[in-house]
Amino acid sequence: MTRLAALLFSVLILAGSAFAGPGHDHGDGGQGAEAPSAAAIPRLVSEGSDVELVAVAKDHTLTIYLDRIATNEPVDGATIELNGEGIPSAKAKALGDGVYEIEADWLHEPGAKALTFTVMAEGIADLLAGRLVVAEAAVEPPAQPFSWSSVLQRPEFWMFAVAIGLGGFFLAFAFRPLRLPPDDTPRVAATPEPATPEAPLARHLRQAAEIVLVALVLSASVPSRGWAHEGHDHGGDGAPAQAAGNTPGKLPTGEVFLPKPTQRLLKVRTAPAATDKAQPGSELVGTVIVDPAYEGRVQAPMEGQIELAGGGISFVGEKVAAGDVLALLAPAMPVFDRGSLQQLTAEVEGKLRIAEQKLARLTRISGDYIPQREIDDTKTEIESLREQKRVLEPKAAERLELKAPVSGIISVANVRAGQVVSARDTLFEIVDPKRLWIEAIGMMGADDGAVSSATAIDGQGHTIPLAYIGRAPTLRQQSLPMLFRVEDPHASLAIGATVRVLVQKGTPIEGIIVPDGAVVRSTNGLPQVWIKMAPETFEPRAVRTSPLDGGSVLVTDGLAKGDRVVVQGAELINQIR
């Protein structure tokens, strides 16, 4: 019983404390006061005919953001005057980028304040009104004193007490000691004592009662804020907080709250949707090639060895003109052919000596004995043999000049000084980078006459206009290749690069034309645009699109006329979570 008294005394010492961790308030019936939120900043939103105004109050300063409704472009150089009931008139000071500021000492007074803003700017004269609600400062409620009556009125208290009592009663019987005589002890007859079967049961009942009493005291010592872990506040029916202040965030409805400071940082711009007609486009995969009329190759006409020309060997990237010498080729002769040439040369030299001797004899005995015709024939034979000897002389000093067939820039140079090349080896390739074509392959109809315009988009996103040339009559990759001429080549357009080709053809259809950057991908992979619903609220809208010219997209479904579509900064808004 001494241990029981000590335990009860310890429990009563801790009766005023709670088992809940820091920040765990289960609330008294959901009536607890909420802590003030740092995001709950007083703000006023008003829209006029041409401009929209957002006023944010912080300390004793009212910051005003003024933008155009149609384009979301900040309005600079405006004059803004503030008026209100019981509020002194004030003129806003311009800070730049459509931001204005008013010093207002009345912002510390809680309550709803009806404000009127007179806005004057170039081409703008508007009167904007709204209500600015300044909330009262939150006061921490006083701590509630501990009350036994409130504890005894709670049904969970009695349920917990009964559960502890039954558990203690069960444990008292389950773990009671067993007293058995040892096997090696001789049994000695003794005088029987009077049996008392009620004594063990009474002892167990007393132990169970002690456990139940401890459970009752322990349960009563736990106040109404018990057993919660860190971060668990079950008091009240709290609604999800909406995004406010100057922190962007995604609302439970899927919309995005984007405050004006963030809009200026991201340079968000909008444009009203307007219906128009345009030809639908098809996207093809194209490859940049060279105009065949301005491409040339230099091949080795025979086996030989490369030697330096007067200005050295040409290199990749060098500009050359048609007829320029790129390198020299020393012809190579096999050993067998060289022996045959030497034998033939010896025969020609022998015949030449015989002819010269014959001519000398005929000249000495000239006159009436030798006809002039025989002397002339001998001279002609000598000249022919000398020409044969000249042709058959060794070609050690002879070099072939490898010349450029067209003007342009050398794109391939597969030569080095002293290199031995074979016949038909490609040594140089020359192209004109200003004369480019694009070969596009895709699933399109065979009606070439319906192609009205075409545009290429390279890997860096540059838009390049194209002119349609024609279509190949032979299938390639289950389609007919189409050829386009590049009208204005971009510096980043490389030969052999893969580009996107947008071809417009067919009957014009009605839709809404938006910039290509306005269409983004949603989390499910479908295309969508962002619509400005309020000065600081944007809504995603799934759309159906058709490509046009690389810089614009035709929206055929999902938008309505007059919707304010985000045309700049949509990709950044799409990343807000």
Side-chain angles (χ1 to χ4, degrees):
M1 197 64 185
T2 304
R3 289 178 296 176
L4 177 60
L7 180 60
L8 292 177
F9 181 74
S10 301
V11 171
L12 291 176
I13 291 295
L14 302 175
S17 61
F19 292 104
H24 305 78
D25 187 2
H26 290 259
D28 296 333
Q31 303 296 330
E34 296 181 356
S37 175
I41 299 177
R43 64 197 316 111
L44 177 149
V45 178
S46 180
E47 297 185 51
S49 57
D50 297 323
V51 295
E52 61 187 17
L53 181 145
V54 175
V56 180
K58 185 177 181 181
D59 297 332
H60 295 280
T61 303
L62 187 67
T63 305
I64 301 172
Y65 301 90
L66 188 65
D67 298 330
R68 296 185 184 274
I69 291 181
T71 62
N72 201 57
E73 183 181 359
V75 179
D76 285 331
T79 302
I80 303 177
E81 294 185 0
L82 171 64
N83 294 282
E85 184 178 355
I87 297 175
S89 300
K91 187 176 181 180
K93 179 179 65 174
L95 301 181
D97 199 21
V99 182
Y100 302 84
E101 191 177 87
I102 295 178
E103 294 295 333
D105 295 334
W106 44 267
L107 287 176
H108 69 280
E109 301 175 1
K113 308 177 188 303
L115 304 180
T116 303
F117 299 88
T118 304
V119 180
M120 301 293 294
E122 183 178 356
I124 299 174
D126 214 334
L127 191 65
L128 305 176
R131 291 170 58 86
L132 183 69
V133 180
V134 180
E136 296 184 1
V139 180
E140 186 70 20
Q144 298 292 334
F146 176 74
S147 174
W148 280 99
S149 60
S150 61
V151 174
L152 296 177
Q153 291 176 0
R154 296 172 58 188
E156 59 267 21
F157 162 74
W158 297 104
M159 295 174 61
F160 182 75
V162 171
I164 293 297
L166 293 178
F169 192 78
F170 170 76
L171 293 176
F173 275 96
F175 297 99
R176 67 181 184 272
L178 298 177
R179 299 179 180 272
L180 296 177
D183 295 339
D184 54 352
T185 304
R187 299 182 179 180
V188 180
T191 303
E193 296 180 357
T196 57
E198 295 82 8
L201 179 60
R203 184 172 63 256
H204 294 317
L205 288 176
R206 179 175 57 80
Q207 294 177 355
E210 293 177 358
I211 295 175
V212 171
L213 182 58
V214 172
L216 291 176
V217 176
L218 182 62
S219 301
S221 65
V222 179
S224 59
R225 300 183 180 182
W227 307 310
H229 298 286
E230 295 187 2
H232 299 77
D233 185 2
H234 301 277
D237 298 331
Q242 294 185 350
N246 291 328
T247 302
K250 200 165 188 178
L251 303 179
T253 58
E255 298 177 341
V256 167
F257 174 78
L258 194 65
K260 284 297 181 180
T262 307
Q263 293 184 33
R264 277 157 172 72
L265 181 64
L266 303 182
K267 296 186 181 299
V268 177
R269 298 292 182 266
T270 61
T275 58
D276 198 355
K277 285 189 176 181
Q279 284 184 312
S282 300
E283 184 171 338
L284 310 177
V285 178
T287 304
V288 181
I289 61 176
V290 184
D291 188 343
Y294 295 89
E295 180 183 13
R297 294 184 181 180
V298 178
Q299 294 180 314
M302 62 182 67
E303 293 184 0
Q305 188 175 20
I306 299 297
E307 294 186 2
L308 297 177
I313 296 179
S314 298
F315 52 89
V316 174
E318 181 183 1
K319 293 183 179 181
V320 296
D324 290 350
V325 178
L326 307 180
L328 298 178
L329 178 65
M333 183 177 295
V335 176
F336 177 81
D337 294 342
R338 186 175 298 176
S340 300
L341 180 61
Q342 291 175 354
Q343 180 182 356
L344 184 59
T345 302
E347 292 179 359
V348 171
E349 289 179 349
K351 291 180 180 180
L352 179 60
R353 284 195 298 270
I354 294 174
E356 289 176 347
Q357 292 175 2
K358 180 180 178 181
L359 179 62
R361 288 194 305 269
L362 293 176
T363 303
R364 285 196 302 268
I365 60 176
S366 62
D368 297 336
Y369 301 100
I370 303 299
Q372 185 65 31
R373 178 178 57 83
E374 185 175 354
I375 296 174
D376 294 339
D377 291 344
T378 304
K379 291 181 179 180
T380 303
E381 183 181 0
I382 292 173
E383 292 178 358
S384 175
L385 292 173
R386 287 176 178 174
E387 183 66 21
Q388 292 182 28
K389 180 181 178 181
R390 187 186 64 81
V391 172
L392 294 175
E393 286 180 351
K395 305 296 183 179
E398 186 176 354
R399 302 290 182 267
L400 296 180
E401 294 181 344
L402 303 177
K403 299 181 179 180
V406 295
S407 300
I409 296 178
I410 299 177
S411 61
V412 175
N414 296 323
V415 295
R416 297 292 184 273
Q419 178 182 353
V420 177
V421 297
S422 302
R424 298 183 181 181
D425 284 350
T426 300
L427 306 180
F428 297 96
E429 290 186 7
I430 303 171
V431 298
D432 189 348
K434 296 182 179 179
R435 307 281 184 171
L436 299 178
W437 286 8
I438 290 181
E439 184 182 46
I441 297 178
M443 303 304 295
M444 287 188 60
D447 187 9
D448 298 346
V451 177
S452 61
S453 64
T455 306
I457 304 176
D458 61 5
Q460 288 74 31
H462 301 120
T463 302
I464 303 167
L466 304 178
Y468 178 68
I469 298 177
R471 182 192 296 272
T474 306
L475 281 176
R476 185 186 304 174
Q477 299 180 9
Q478 303 303 319
S479 62
L480 298 177
M482 302 177 67
L483 294 176
F484 300 89
R485 182 174 58 252
V486 179
E487 295 291 343
D488 186 14
H490 195 273
S492 63
L493 201 60
I495 300 172
T498 301
V499 296
R500 297 165 49 205
V501 179
L502 302 178
V503 180
Q504 289 183 265
K505 58 177 295 185
T507 305
I509 59 176
E510 191 175 82
I512 297 174
I513 299 177
V514 298
D516 184 64
V519 181
V520 294
R521 292 288 176 181
S522 62
T523 54
N524 56 12
L526 297 178
Q528 69 177 13
V529 298
W530 285 93
I531 307 299
K532 185 179 179 181
M533 307 302 296
E536 296 181 312
T537 305
F538 296 83
E539 177 187 70
R541 190 83 56 84
V543 294
R544 182 181 300 168
T545 63
S546 177
L548 288 181
D549 55 1
S552 302
V553 175
L554 182 66
V555 179
T556 58
D557 195 9
L559 285 180
K561 184 178 180 180
D563 287 342
R564 292 180 290 177
V565 183
V566 177
V567 297
Q568 183 177 336
E571 185 64 35
L572 300 175
I573 298 178
N574 200 50
Q575 298 177 8
I576 296 177
R577 297 293 181 264

